Amino acid sequence: MRPFRVDISQSALDDLARRLAGVRWPEQLPEAGWDRGVPVDYLRELVGYWHTRYDWRAAEAELNRYPQFIADIDGADVHFLHVRSPEPDALPLLITHGWPGSVVEFLDIIGPLTDPRAHGGDPAEAFHLVIPSIPGFGFSSTNGQPGWNGMRVANAWAELMRQLGYERYVAQGGDFGSLVSYTLALVDHEHVAGLHLNTLVTTLSGEPEEAAEISETDQARLDRSERFRSVLAGSMKLMATRPHTVSYALTDSPVGQLAWIVEKFKDWADAPRVPEDAVSRDRLLTIASIFWLTATAGPSAQFYYEAVAQLPITATTVRYQPISQPMGVAVYPHAPFVPVRHLASRDLPTIVHWAEFDRGGHFAAMEEPDLFAADLRAFARLLKD
């Protein structure tokens, strides 16, 4: 385990600037909007901002304000932020990102969660934070090894927490982070004190009587999940079946990489007009820049290929193996999956906390950091009672 600082070479930034200055643009269909993907006019303007106004060095400095490390675990170089609270009795919390994401998703919640006293909160509700990058994402490398699925990452996280000396901790995640955190609760149940998710897929079991009891509201939630499978899951299907082929274009074109990512913030976030309705432009570009500068379009896509069999979003009927720990669920209305509580409780009887919000989407910690942090505190209070 060794200290780490983000330090991208100037030559890499110069190469990015050169590529952004020489984009070959496709033809724009008239009045296509976002239905066929990212509009040319929108992306052209965003790329102009990336090229002339976005400041990577400022983003780099923001990341480097927090202690970062690289740990050698199971042959991978695992990058993580480890931010200890000034409160000695703080509860350790392990947060895992998804795709297309990174540790950047959680920068706005680090201060409020680790040092609530300085943010007008109760110091008794502080957390020690461990925020790792999944191997193949950002500054974590698989070192070319196959087999990094949800189970292997969960076992790596258990080892990471052991090395850090945390005997009892809470696991939190959304998107892929939900899969990893749920699996972690199963494989490291002796040390995981609670599980909190902001992505949970629920489906009907296939029993006729269950379908008859579904309300219109619940059916709308199930229809939302089905829309993801039928309309919004194109990138998932490509990366889950042909990750190498997809990676060539994304690794060679920063504009292609940006479009691949920014579309998800329009489709999956609380973004009625443009992605910036949900997440700031600079945050979007920092995430895209990390994918580009670390050349992790391909390695991150491999996670879909390795984990597709574990992903509940690929199944029409989802059943979960029960966990023994208390579980919390945060429901954001504009996420692609909005779970139905009684269907979730069918397999997960230890749900003790269920929070529903009137705003926010798939990238909850970035979109609504105040709601996200407050909800984690509310769940943690139940673990102390």
Side-chain angles (χ1 to χ4, degrees):
M1 193 173 293
R2 59 193 185 276
F4 175 82
R5 284 178 61 83
V6 181
D7 185 16
I8 298 299
S9 70
Q10 187 58 46
S11 62
L13 298 179
D14 293 343
D15 175 68
L16 172 59
R18 177 184 61 80
R19 291 169 184 264
L20 295 178
V23 182
R24 184 185 182 197
W25 293 99
E27 179 182 355
Q28 171 69 66
L29 292 173
E31 301 180 3
W34 287 81
D35 288 344
R36 298 176 186 239
V38 183
V40 173
D41 290 346
Y42 168 82
L43 197 65
R44 190 190 297 269
E45 197 275 328
L46 183 60
V47 167
Y49 181 92
W50 195 7
H51 184 211
T52 62
R53 298 175 60 188
Y54 171 75
D55 186 351
W56 165 258
R57 293 302 185 197
E60 194 174 69
E62 183 180 18
L63 275 165
N64 286 334
R65 285 206 298 266
Y66 302 104
Q68 299 173 74
F69 303 88
I70 298 287
D72 180 3
I73 300 177
D74 194 12
D77 292 327
V78 175
H79 164 259
F80 64 98
L81 277 64
H82 184 203
V83 188
R84 287 189 59 85
S85 171
E87 308 298 335
D89 296 327
L91 178 64
L93 173 63
L94 172 66
I95 303 180
T96 307
H97 65 83
W99 184 93
S102 76
V103 297
V104 171
E105 292 183 48
F106 309 108
L107 294 181
D108 292 336
I109 63 169
I110 290 176
L113 289 181
T114 58
D115 194 2
R117 187 192 303 269
H119 292 79
D122 183 350
E125 296 182 336
F127 296 91
H128 300 308
L129 293 184
V130 179
I131 309 175
S133 301
I134 294 173
F137 287 74
F139 305 103
S140 281
S141 175
T142 65
N143 293 320
Q145 294 183 356
W148 278 97
N149 56 20
M151 178 64 75
R152 189 169 179 182
V153 175
N155 281 315
W157 282 191
E159 173 60 17
L160 174 62
M161 297 303 277
R162 187 195 68 77
Q163 290 189 21
L164 292 173
Y166 291 125
E167 289 292 322
R168 180 178 181 271
Y169 62 94
V170 174
Q172 199 287 326
D175 193 85
F176 278 151
S178 176
L179 167 66
V180 171
S181 299
Y182 167 75
T183 307
L184 183 59
L186 293 172
V187 301
D188 198 27
H189 57 87
E190 294 180 357
H191 302 106
V192 175
L195 172 67
H196 183 281
L197 305 179
N198 58 280
T199 300
L200 185 66
V201 180
T202 55
T203 65
L204 294 171
S205 65
E207 297 295 329
E209 59 272 17
E210 186 180 66
E213 296 174 355
I214 291 293
S215 68
E216 289 186 11
T217 299
D218 291 342
Q219 186 60 54
R221 294 183 173 199
L222 296 174
D223 291 344
R224 189 172 185 86
S225 297
E226 183 54 38
R227 180 173 182 269
F228 176 89
R229 294 188 186 93
S230 61
V231 178
L232 303 180
S235 59
M236 179 194 75
K237 292 174 182 177
L238 284 170
M239 290 187 289
T241 56
R242 294 294 185 269
H244 273 317
T245 305
V246 173
S247 72
Y248 293 113
L250 300 181
T251 305
D252 191 55
S253 168
V255 174
Q257 178 70 89
L258 178 62
W260 195 244
I261 288 172
V262 80
E263 179 190 80
K264 305 305 173 256
F265 284 86
K266 173 62 172 66
D267 287 342
W268 300 352
D270 188 356
R273 297 177 301 108
V274 292
E276 292 93 321
D277 291 340
V279 176
S280 77
R281 173 166 286 197
D282 284 351
R283 277 281 189 264
L284 287 171
L285 290 173
T286 296
I287 289 173
S289 295
I290 288 174
F291 273 90
W292 172 259
L293 295 169
T294 60
T296 47
S300 62
Q302 296 293 337
F303 192 90
Y304 273 102
Y305 185 90
E306 300 284 4
V308 65
Q310 299 174 280
L311 296 177
I313 55 178
T314 60
T316 55
T317 300
V318 176
R319 302 306 298 262
Y320 293 95
Q321 181 179 343
I323 63 171
S324 58
Q325 304 92 331
M327 180 174 172
V329 179
V331 180
Y332 294 87
H334 297 282
F337 308 102
V338 183
V340 177
R341 181 166 188 172
H342 75 270
L343 296 181
S345 299
R346 176 186 63 200
D347 295 335
L348 300 168
T350 61
I351 293 176
V352 296
H353 174 79
W354 185 280
E356 302 213 3
F357 302 103
D358 61 359
R359 62 186 187 277
H362 194 61
F363 306 95
M366 278 193 295
E367 295 180 60
E368 301 293 343
D370 292 344
L371 294 181
F372 186 88
D375 189 57
L376 277 172
R377 293 190 200 102
F379 175 61
R381 282 195 293 271
L382 298 177
L383 303 181
K384 297 177 181 180
D385 291 343

